[in-house]
Amino acid sequence: MHHTRLLKFGVPLLAGALTLTACGSRDEGDGTGSTAGAGTTITIGFDAPLSKDLAAVGLGMKNSAELAVKKANADKVVPGVTFKLAAKDDQATPNIGQQNAAAFVADQNVVGVVGAYNSSVSAAMQSTLHDATMVQVSGANTAAALTQGADYKTAPKRPYDNYFRTISTDAVAAPVMADYFYKDLKVKKIATVDDKKTYGTGIVDNFTDAYEKLGGKVAIHQSINPDESDYAAVVNSVKSSGAQGVFYGGEYPQAGPLKKQLVAAGFNGPMGGGDAVKDDQLIPLAGAKAANGVCAHSDGAPIDSLDSAKSFVADYKAAGYPEGHGVFGAYVYDATTALIKAVGAAVDANGGKAGDPTQLRPKVVAAMQQVAFDGATGKVGFDEYGDSVNQVISVNCVKGGAWKNGVKIVTVK
């Protein structure tokens, strides 16, 4: 299989101790050091792209993880333990993510890691964290191979028992988009384009399988170089292929310009994408008019329609973060909370003593598998692969220059 290292947006956990907490606009304090003498401070690593073109989504994820840590400290979720978030920037680059994972492992105060955004980055982090029996949990990774192995279509097998996610996989979500394009939008012939990354190639593969099973025809398959911004060759190929629409496997910084160039070339069909395309930044990148007709899925029902997410949304707003929480924020918030709850269960099992965080790590991995609670995104829990038990997918489309969320909501299985 060509996509053995499928990756997707995830919340990487990074250990750059103060990068996450030194935020002047939030000075209510995260409680670090506030339990001098009596308590124990335990660090949660966080990893995501915090600079370059994916910084907007990464910072929204980091803020969401920070919010979960602050809430756990305020509520004294684990008696005698104060949590601290250490955030690292992976720049959406696998080898940097792997270095961050090694740094988290080396930091004896780090008990587990929340993150990576990109599936390719998490794939590079997995074995390092597994060797250290340290939980990795992502609120953004969707590549199916991360939890079910390279042969997930025919012989799923969990490669790492320390890796979990609070979000659905592309193998669950992409067929929902295929169905929407074929049945609802009546697009019977489509062009597919990917960005050559793990997430992009994987989601196109999952979309194509489902679309062809429905009777749809893929007119042409093309790839762009995500480091370039002129997609004229791909645009011309799509236009001359006779396709009625496009499905793009990749992220919003490239999806916006691609849609803009397609429209400029006279191609007016709809453009589909995965959750990495579902970002407010897509609209200015494409132009408000050209962005119309982009449809992308996201996990769960729209956050603003969920009663369970109301306090998360209100708390996030009250914290005054300059970046929005984005499509992954609530999933990262729940991922961080799940890790904190697993630490609580491990401390309980340890007679109420946190002790040395490095000795706690394997106990937290075991506890994580059993975590179950009602989170911002709904039911939070993990199946035998470490995948989310909550499999609801929304289709969202840009209409009138703005995202219309939940134009269709599908419960899978």
Side-chain angles (χ1 to χ4, degrees):
M1 229 163 219
H2 62 279
H3 50 269
T4 20
R5 306 282 273 181
L6 281 178
L7 297 170
K8 163 62 187 131
F9 281 152
V11 183
L13 300 194
L14 303 176
L18 294 174
T19 29
L20 249 197
T21 47
C23 310
S25 60
R26 282 88 73 200
D27 54 5
E28 65 268 42
D30 62 356
T32 307
S34 62
T35 51
T40 305
T41 297
I42 287 181
T43 302
I44 289 175
F46 174 88
D47 174 274
L50 303 177
S51 63
K52 303 198 171 172
D53 65 357
L54 289 167
V57 73
L59 290 166
M61 289 167 55
K62 184 203 77 167
N63 298 339
S64 301
E66 186 180 75
L67 200 60
V69 166
K70 287 182 173 177
K71 182 164 171 50
N73 287 337
D75 295 350
K76 297 188 168 44
V77 168
V78 185
V81 172
T82 299
F83 291 96
K84 181 173 97 171
L85 192 71
K88 289 189 184 291
D89 177 12
D90 61 32
Q91 297 179 37
T93 303
N95 67 333
I96 299 177
Q98 197 280 327
Q99 291 163 20
N100 290 343
F104 285 130
V105 169
D107 183 339
Q108 302 195 346
N109 294 313
V110 177
V111 77
V113 175
V114 173
Y117 165 75
N118 304 82
S119 291
S120 48
V121 175
S122 278
M125 298 172 74
Q126 280 184 314
S127 64
T128 299
L129 295 172
H130 180 261
D131 289 349
T133 57
M134 189 188 279
V135 164
Q136 179 180 4
V137 58
S138 174
N141 292 158
T142 56
L146 292 171
T147 42
Q148 298 186 31
D151 298 325
Y152 66 88
K153 288 181 187 173
T154 51
K157 184 170 186 288
R158 187 176 188 178
Y160 299 107
D161 64 359
N162 64 312
Y163 177 89
F164 301 84
R165 60 176 134 209
T166 52
I167 193 164
S168 298
T169 75
D170 298 325
V172 172
V176 172
M177 288 305 291
D179 199 70
Y180 186 74
F181 266 66
Y182 188 77
K183 294 180 181 168
D184 298 56
L185 299 183
K186 308 280 192 274
V187 171
K188 308 296 183 187
K189 192 177 181 186
I190 205 162
T192 57
V193 180
D194 67 56
D195 65 356
K196 303 180 189 169
K197 293 191 194 177
T198 305
Y199 167 67
T201 56
I203 197 167
V204 164
D205 186 53
N206 290 131
F207 176 89
T208 300
D209 280 359
Y211 186 72
E212 290 179 340
K213 271 192 192 114
L214 291 165
K217 183 175 189 301
V218 175
I220 191 170
H221 173 74
Q222 298 275 282
S223 295
I224 62 156
N225 180 344
D227 298 326
E228 292 171 3
S229 55
D230 180 356
Y231 309 132
V234 167
V235 166
N236 291 335
S237 299
V238 167
K239 204 182 161 192
S240 59
S241 72
Q244 303 162 302
V246 180
F247 182 83
Y248 176 65
E251 298 154 350
Y252 67 88
Q254 292 76 32
L258 177 60
K259 182 65 160 69
K260 184 178 201 167
Q261 293 169 42
L262 282 163
V263 171
F267 184 88
N268 294 311
M271 179 168 141
D275 47 4
V277 167
K278 171 68 172 75
D279 195 279
D280 289 341
Q281 294 297 312
L282 173 100
I283 294 165
L285 287 169
K289 198 160 179 227
N292 291 331
V294 173
C295 293
H297 74 253
S298 58
D299 224 48
I303 285 299
D304 43 19
S305 75
L306 289 174
D307 284 343
S308 60
K310 280 192 168 64
S311 62
F312 163 74
V313 172
D315 291 350
Y316 193 96
K317 194 174 175 190
Y321 295 113
E323 307 84 13
H325 53 73
V327 74
F328 302 103
Y331 292 91
V332 173
Y333 179 83
D334 282 349
T336 309
T337 302
L339 178 51
I340 287 166
K341 286 182 180 290
V343 171
V347 168
D348 266 357
N350 208 32
K353 295 185 189 69
D356 174 359
T358 60
Q359 301 300 305
L360 206 56
R361 289 170 180 174
K363 298 183 175 82
V364 175
V365 171
M368 190 74 166
Q369 189 64 53
Q370 308 303 322
V371 165
F373 64 98
D374 293 320
T377 60
K379 295 276 178 205
V380 178
F382 308 104
D383 68 10
E384 68 269 32
Y385 299 105
D387 281 326
S388 170
V389 294
N390 192 4
Q391 305 281 349
V392 178
I393 304 294
S394 290
V395 175
N396 319 283
C397 299
V398 181
K399 297 182 178 184
W403 282 106
K404 188 169 176 3
N405 295 331
V407 294
K408 188 172 188 182
I409 300 170
V410 179
T411 301
V412 181
K413 285 174 212 173

